Every structure is written in C-alpha cells, then in structure tokens.
Amino acid sequence: MDVTDFESLVDGVPAEAEAVIDGIAESLILLRDGAQVRAWLNVCPHAGRRLDWAPGKFLLSKSGQLVCAAHGATFELQGGQCLAGPCRGEALRAIAVQVRDGVVALVN
Ligand code: FES
C-alpha cells in the first residue's frame, strides 16, 4: 500500500502520513534519510498519544531528537528508542516501508 510520495519528504524532517495497517487506519511518522525512509507508528509508548502537536507538526530537540508533544519523551530517530522522559527505555513501533518508483510503500 502506498503511503506517500517520496519527493514530498524533506531529508531529516519528520512527516506524518496515514496508512491502513492490519485493517486499521493509523498515523505514521516518516523520516527521510537520503534515499531511504524510516517509519514508526505515531503513537507514544508512554500514554498512547500522538507525538505531533498538530497533524504533521513534530517537535525536535536542538540535537535533532523527536520530542513527544504530550509529556516530552525524547526519541532518537535511528531506531526510535526513547532516551529521556516517562517512557525511557521503550521504543516507537517501527513500520517496514520501502521506496519504490518514487513512492513510499508499506512492506507486506
Ligand atoms: S504520551 Fe508521549 S510523553 Fe506522554
């Protein structure tokens, strides 16, 4: 299933897109890294809230880590691990995606 157009993503800037996973419409965090894209569910492991403060608007720390808008948990954007805050040691749920013909798609 296609998630979004690869060219719409800005390198290193988290973006949000919708995808149907296991029959459920989910919000995803997408991060372009060169020619690759990483994706996670937009669900914080602390209290299950979205991490963006408005759809697609994510907070980044000065060092480029993703900060949950709800209570400030801080995540690194390689593996999605929480480094600080109320869910330290937990991680975002990674979603497998691939770039194919200029489109970011779920890997089934
Ligand atoms: S829901 Fe993200 S830090 Fe609480």
Side-chain angles (χ1 to χ4, degrees):
M1 178 194 167
D2 293 352
V3 176
T4 194
D5 180 23
F6 177 71
E7 290 304 325
S8 69
L9 302 175
V10 178
D11 208 44
V13 178
E16 189 267 350
E18 304 286 327
V20 176
I21 298 172
D22 297 333
I24 299 170
E26 301 275 10
S27 170
L28 301 183
I29 303 164
L30 301 175
L31 186 75
R32 180 175 171 173
D33 182 1
Q36 303 294 316
V37 175
R38 292 190 287 280
W40 299 273
L41 282 187
N42 187 11
V43 176
C44 182
H46 172 227
R49 304 260 293 267
R50 289 173 64 113
L51 285 89
D52 42 359
W53 56 269
K57 304 292 185 186
F58 293 95
L59 300 171
L60 291 176
S61 69
K62 285 182 181 160
S63 55
Q65 295 164 338
L66 181 62
V67 179
C68 179
H71 311 106
T74 303
F75 299 85
E76 52 84 15
L77 290 173
Q78 289 291 324
Q81 294 289 320
C82 180
L83 303 176
C87 50
R88 183 174 177 176
E90 297 185 61
L92 299 173
R93 182 177 154 204
I95 300 296
V97 295
Q98 63 184 0
V99 180
R100 190 177 51 219
D101 298 330
V103 172
V104 180
L106 296 177
V107 176
N108 292 318

